[in-house]
Amino acid sequence: MTTPPALLIAGHGTRDDAGAEAFRAFVRELGRRRPDLPVAGGFIELSPPPLGEAVAELVERGVRRFAAVPLMLVSAGHAKGDIPAALAREKERHPGLTYTYGRPLGPHPSLLRVLERRLAEAVDPSWDPAEMTVLLVGRGSTDPDANAEVFKAARLLWEGRGYAGVETAFVSLAAPDVPSGLDRCARLGARRIVVLPYFLFTGILPDRVRTQTEEWATAHPDTEVRSADVIGPEPELLDLVLERYEEAVKGDLRMNCDSCVYRIALPGFEDKVGLPQQPHFHPDDDGHHHGHGHAHSHSHAH
């Protein structure tokens, strides 16, 4: 039987020792989950071990093939550029080594469930979701696409769950910042706000979100403000990383089917799962001039 490719986990890196250790512990837990796989993990910057060291560790264990999964919620500069560049360098360094590259985690339904749990843990059981405004706070990037991904997560978290609203802010590099996001919630009439960090593990940036939230809350005593916890090394996160690994191994990198109502039972849209998809024509498309007269149907028979 052929040995399955190894699993390499690529992380951002953090100056926070507890955050770096949370990543390393997560990688160890993945290894325990899949004893059949060599598993290693490394960082792009800021904390040990570097990604190159993790690759060298796999090579020393006799690995010739691996699948790399970026342990990141959004595809920003790291996932799009730094990790592919680092992997290309390792391939040159270790002749005969081959790899496939998986996709970032994204706002997968299982992670949205964890976020929902974090919100529930942060508030009194008596709070009605219809009276709660959530402020989802992302890392922030100079990449507009990465920032847009956080807005997508906010929208998917809002859909079908009955919150008064889900607003978005960023802790660095992008507007609106946390105080501006909280101001916006208040201007929209929010009396109860829960600030939800869109981060996998503890670290300097999630700590900053909490501090800024507390400062704003002190200055606005009429508004009830709570801080929720980060996602953390939950079973859903372990399952999702292994799902991304399997996709990468099979070369099965899909369109955004993670949040597709025809494939996944999203809250309030459960009746759409498995519905057959009919080709549809744009009202302006008579099928002759536009070069796409075949209709833009989505095939969901994955």
Side-chain angles (χ1 to χ4, degrees):
M1 190 181 130
T2 54
T3 316
L7 169 56
L8 176 71
I9 305 295
H12 268 287
T14 171
R15 290 188 181 86
D16 181 78
D17 291 340
E21 183 47 40
F23 172 91
R24 291 188 290 261
F26 184 80
V27 171
R28 290 193 293 272
E29 182 57 33
L30 276 169
R32 280 193 287 274
R33 273 236 181 166
R34 286 292 300 268
D36 58 315
L37 289 185
V39 179
F43 296 104
I44 288 296
E45 60 183 3
L46 302 175
S47 39
L51 200 60
E53 206 172 287
V55 173
E57 179 196 320
L58 290 174
V59 170
E60 278 168 29
R61 290 162 69 181
V63 166
R64 310 306 293 146
R65 296 183 306 144
F66 68 87
V69 175
L71 196 68
M72 294 167 191
L73 290 165
V74 301
S75 189
H78 283 304
K80 289 177 179 176
D82 298 337
I83 296 171
L87 295 175
R89 189 182 62 228
E90 294 308 314
K91 194 171 188 296
E92 283 179 16
R93 219 174 252 176
H94 304 281
L97 193 63
T98 60
Y99 64 87
T100 51
Y101 185 40
R103 59 189 175 129
L105 305 172
H108 191 278
S110 61
L111 294 188
L112 294 170
R113 284 196 299 275
V114 179
L115 292 173
E116 192 177 1
R117 206 153 69 224
R118 294 289 175 258
L119 289 170
E121 291 161 1
V123 304
D124 300 340
S126 63
W127 283 27
D128 178 354
E131 295 174 355
M132 274 167 55
T133 299
V134 178
L135 182 63
L136 185 73
V137 182
R139 175 179 292 267
S141 170
T142 52
D143 181 342
D145 178 47
N147 296 332
E149 283 288 307
V150 182
F151 275 81
K152 179 178 179 178
R155 179 70 199 193
L156 286 168
L157 183 64
W158 181 82
E159 290 276 359
R161 289 182 176 82
Y163 301 123
V166 181
E167 295 296 316
T168 311
F170 300 97
V171 72
S172 68
L173 298 174
D177 60 13
V178 175
S180 302
L182 286 162
D183 288 344
R184 177 176 165 81
C185 293
R187 283 202 298 274
L188 289 168
R191 314 277 354 120
R192 289 175 163 168
I193 304 170
V194 190
V195 177
L196 178 62
Y198 194 45
F199 286 84
L200 293 173
F201 301 128
T202 186
I204 286 169
L205 293 179
D207 286 349
R208 190 180 299 163
V209 174
R210 190 174 283 264
T211 303
Q212 291 177 355
T213 299
E214 287 165 2
E215 287 167 357
W216 189 92
T218 303
H220 299 79
D222 293 344
T223 308
E224 252 188 297
V225 185
R226 299 287 176 89
S227 283
D229 281 334
V230 295
I231 290 168
E234 294 293 289
E236 289 94 338
L237 183 58
L238 289 153
D239 290 343
L240 178 53
V241 169
L242 291 171
E243 188 178 314
R244 291 285 182 259
Y245 163 81
E246 296 292 348
E247 283 177 354
V249 167
K250 291 173 186 159
D252 182 25
L253 303 181
R254 305 157 181 264
M255 57 190 269
N256 58 330
C257 292
D258 287 336
S259 50
C260 169
V261 289
Y262 303 108
R263 205 168 166 261
I264 306 289
L266 296 180
F269 299 88
E270 291 86 354
D271 58 327
K272 288 189 180 287
V273 174
L275 282 184
Q277 295 305 291
Q278 301 303 323
H280 68 274
F281 291 91
H282 192 276
D284 299 329
D285 181 3
D286 59 11
H288 295 297
H289 337 286
H290 300 298
H292 53 242
H294 56 273
H296 9 263
S297 63
H298 295 290
S299 169
H300 287 280
H302 306 291

